[in-house]
Amino acid sequence: MTSGVQQIRLDQPFSDQKPGTSGLRKSSRQFETPHYLESFIEAILCTVPGVQGGTLVVGGDGRYGNRRAIAVIARMAAAHGVARIVTTTAGILSTPAASNLIRQRQATAGIILSASHNPGGPDGDFGVKVNGANGGPAPESLTDAIYACTQQLDGYQIHDAIDLNLDAPGEQSIGSLQIEVIDGVDDYVALMQKLFDFDQIRDLLSHNFPIAFDAMHAVTGPYAKRLLEELLGAPAGSVRNGEPLEDFGGGHPDPNLTYAHELAELLMGSDAYRFGAACDGDGDRNMVLGNRCFVNPSDSLAVLAANATLVPGYAAGLAGVARSMPTSAAADVVAKELGIPCFETPTGWKFFGNLLDAGRITLCGEESFGTGSNHIREKDGLWAVLFWLNILAKRREPVAQIMAEHWSRFGRHYYSRHDYEAIASDAAHGLYNRVKEMLPALVGQSFAGRTIATADDFAYTDPVDGSLTSGQGLRLLLDDGSRVVLRLSGTGTQGATLRVYLESYVPPSGDLNQDPQAALGDLISAIDALAEIKTRTGMNKPTVIT
Ligand code: VG1
Ligand code: CO
């Protein structure tokens, strides 16, 4: 044993450290329980192959608990014989920048401290995500093994306390562990400069094209200021709420119309800006808005795919695209026209990793405001913003016109997600399991004036490694191509969250200018009647509608 290393014994293992859709996510209070964080980190360090003598990238979204966790990880990594930790000033590292850094440094793995779009602060949430050497979220086989390790852990090793200085770039050491503190923005910005035409975007922004970007007091502030204001010439103040705060200023750093409502009002209710965007806590999500135009994320993926060759990094075309199952089929229609494959994966970015690594896809996305490509192995909020700006710089048309032209060429997938948050867990599972049991009997039944053609619980066989993932959401596929999907969230920390995904396709010859809630109205009432959502949740409307 190295000197300075303490062996701490646990009276009993923590039973609740099962990672969800995107890492272990719990309340900050839970993470402050003695030995709680340490237990999960021990399980990571004991399970991830190559930790001894390896390099770890460590950083987070700046929320309450970030700095403490980095210090704990450094001390535990020293005890486990890790050779090098690469971390960042103030521990600020967005999820996409972490993915890039893991790849650039050929690191063994990354540990990202974030609960993404969940609120932060002492009364908010904290989270720990593990990424592999490809820069992507650990596959389920690895997170299952980490969980199994937590279940039988009887202690952990940790080096004596140190004063870790994260205030400026430099090198420090604990025993034989080297800790390198770098600026977390530089490498990411360099990657963006390789993919996009900065001159053209700068020219666009200099021609009466005011933009508003809302960093929601989360991790993207420093990245957005460097990219949009310093390098692309957007006027100071274009980046709003650009200072990362430990509690995100008390907000909910989730870029949607409900939680980014100030930005939404600016774009939807005034003509002050031509383009608006927001990112979430850890910078992997994006919401894109034009003047009086909301771009739904499923459509955004389809537009990026249809216009990809306008952007230098994608000028050679796309190998394929992928979307998560609940994401609308807008991208499928574009893929078909481009003659490239389109894959449908379970929810969560980890399922895109194998397809990206194997070169089968170039772009991928989720309805939950996540879009990304083969440039890294995470979804990437600012990348999507720059992609849109590059398209706008090439086409010089308003966002609303780009959407209208897209729909008149490919048809429109009316789409909405209704979230019922913080439902009593029993009620949510009761509702869900009841519908699950009904599935076989639903085929052939009428639903919202159509007929249910397929009713199943989505399962996915990975085309690259053959692994099977089941239980990924209840699907009602109707005979006219519309569908309704029910899922229980894997990222919430209070009770359960039910997500209802609604989709209906209108061809180019149909009515392309309806309000989505109206266009989906019959599906909304039919699923409420079938699943007894209002009565069983006791909620007469969803918490969030997107
Ligand atoms: C949600 C989204 C999912 C996304 C996940 C992580 O998961 O639906 O699409 O990948 O969050 O996003 P769930 O299980 O709550 O539906 V993030 O920005 O946490 O990294
Ligand atoms: Co996120």
Side-chain angles (χ1 to χ4, degrees):
M1 199 184 286
T2 327
S3 72
V5 173
Q6 304 166 25
Q7 191 75 46
I8 309 290
R9 290 204 55 79
L10 289 178
D11 292 339
Q12 59 182 53
F14 293 98
S15 58
D16 66 341
Q17 298 197 323
K18 188 173 172 57
T21 313
S22 171
L24 181 67
R25 202 169 286 187
K26 300 281 177 190
S27 67
S28 299
R29 299 257 181 254
Q30 177 80 304
F31 267 104
E32 286 176 326
T33 308
H35 314 303
Y36 192 85
L37 170 69
E38 290 84 348
S39 158
F40 194 64
I41 301 300
E42 178 76 11
I44 292 171
L45 295 173
C46 291
T47 310
V48 172
V51 159
Q52 190 154 15
T55 296
L56 295 180
V57 167
V58 181
D61 62 12
R63 71 178 63 218
Y64 175 79
N66 196 38
R67 283 176 181 253
R68 175 182 90 95
I70 294 172
V72 165
I73 292 167
R75 292 166 57 202
M76 294 185 67
H80 279 265
V82 172
R84 176 172 288 269
I85 279 186
V86 181
T87 186
T88 58
T89 43
I92 291 284
L93 186 63
S94 76
T95 290
S99 182
N100 180 46
L101 208 50
I102 294 167
R103 296 162 68 79
Q104 294 295 321
R105 297 302 189 96
Q106 296 177 329
T108 316
I111 302 179
I112 304 174
L113 306 162
S114 172
S116 190
H117 51 285
N118 294 26
D123 298 318
D125 290 336
F126 191 75
V128 179
K129 304 192 282 184
V130 185
N131 285 31
N134 72 345
E140 285 203 320
S141 53
L142 184 59
T143 51
D144 287 349
I146 292 170
Y147 174 53
C149 181
T150 64
Q151 299 281 86
Q152 40 89 46
L153 209 63
D154 59 7
Y156 61 90
Q157 300 177 62
I158 186 163
H159 206 282
D160 293 338
I162 42 128
D163 274 328
L164 186 63
N165 179 4
L166 294 177
D167 293 332
E171 296 260 347
Q172 294 156 72
S173 59
I174 310 178
S176 60
L177 169 71
Q178 275 300 115
I179 302 169
E180 186 184 344
V181 180
I182 60 167
D183 177 302
V185 178
D186 293 342
D187 296 75
Y188 179 78
V189 167
L191 176 63
M192 294 302 111
Q193 287 176 306
K194 280 193 212 137
L195 297 173
F196 301 108
D197 188 336
F198 274 54
D199 290 337
Q200 203 150 36
I201 301 174
R202 196 180 304 109
D203 183 66
L204 171 80
L205 298 186
S206 69
H207 287 89
N208 184 28
F209 201 90
I211 64 169
F213 176 86
D214 193 342
M216 305 188 85
H217 285 304
V219 80
T220 52
Y223 296 85
K225 280 189 199 163
R226 178 90 64 88
L227 287 163
L228 302 175
E229 295 182 1
E230 288 174 36
L231 294 168
L232 293 168
S238 301
V239 175
R240 315 165 75 88
N241 303 320
E243 218 57 63
L245 297 176
E246 285 205 328
D247 66 349
F248 308 124
H252 199 140
D254 197 353
N256 58 38
L257 295 173
T258 302
Y259 296 123
H261 58 91
E262 274 173 35
L263 181 81
E265 281 151 25
L266 279 182
L267 271 292
M268 306 298 282
S270 87
D271 296 316
Y273 295 98
R274 306 284 295 275
F275 179 82
C279 290
D280 71 333
D282 62 330
D284 56 0
R285 296 185 178 204
N286 74 92
M287 174 170 73
V288 162
L289 302 160
N291 179 215
R292 299 186 190 275
C293 176
F294 165 70
V295 180
N296 96 46
S298 300
D299 278 345
S300 181
L301 175 64
V303 169
L304 299 191
N307 292 276
T309 54
L310 299 178
V311 173
Y314 306 91
L318 308 174
V321 295
R323 61 164 173 86
S324 67
M325 179 275 282
T327 304
S328 94
D332 304 40
V333 180
V334 174
K336 195 167 172 212
E337 166 125 350
L338 294 176
I340 57 173
C342 179
F343 298 87
E344 183 179 38
T345 60
T347 295
W349 210 259
K350 58 189 160 213
F351 296 99
F352 295 133
N354 277 348
L355 296 168
L356 290 164
D357 285 349
R360 309 266 295 256
I361 59 168
T362 310
L363 296 186
C364 44
E366 297 191 277
E367 49 64 43
S368 52
F369 298 87
T371 338
S373 88
N374 59 354
H375 67 295
I376 51 169
R377 294 295 179 272
E378 287 277 6
K379 55 188 183 270
D380 190 343
L382 276 164
W383 167 90
V385 172
L386 294 172
F387 205 128
W388 264 96
L389 286 173
N390 204 149
I391 292 171
L392 293 166
K394 271 274 182 194
R395 291 186 49 171
R396 306 274 165 160
E397 292 168 293
V399 174
Q401 192 177 332
I402 289 179
M403 292 318 304
E405 286 175 17
H406 187 90
W407 294 328
S408 62
R409 179 166 165 211
F410 297 105
R412 179 168 181 184
H413 291 78
Y414 284 103
Y415 188 83
S416 186
R417 183 175 107 182
H418 290 195
D419 292 332
Y420 296 82
E421 294 178 346
I423 315 170
S425 185
D426 287 355
H429 286 95
L431 181 159
Y432 192 82
N433 291 333
R434 175 175 162 275
V435 176
K436 189 155 112 184
E437 272 154 33
M438 287 164 72
L439 290 174
L442 290 176
V443 179
Q445 300 285 315
S446 94
F447 185 89
R450 293 90 146 174
T451 303
I452 298 175
T454 308
D456 67 4
D457 188 355
F458 182 63
Y460 174 69
T461 303
D462 187 300
V464 180
D465 67 17
S467 60
L468 175 74
T469 308
S470 51
Q472 294 299 306
L474 311 181
R475 308 192 295 178
L476 304 184
L477 311 180
L478 311 183
D479 56 350
D480 70 340
S482 335
R483 49 173 205 159
V484 178
V485 174
L486 300 184
R487 258 188 85 246
L488 292 176
S489 157
T491 59
T493 54
Q494 285 161 15
T497 292
L498 173 71
R499 306 204 194 284
V500 182
Y501 307 85
L502 306 136
E503 174 179 347
S504 171
Y505 177 67
V506 169
S509 57
D511 182 354
L512 302 173
N513 293 307
Q514 302 170 58
D515 167 63
Q517 300 308 314
L520 298 164
D522 50 357
L523 294 178
I524 294 168
S525 31
I527 191 62
D528 182 49
L530 180 85
E532 302 176 353
I533 297 172
K534 290 196 181 89
T535 50
R536 285 171 177 267
T537 63
M539 297 163 82
N540 59 16
K541 62 176 175 44
T543 324
V544 177
I545 295 182
T546 22

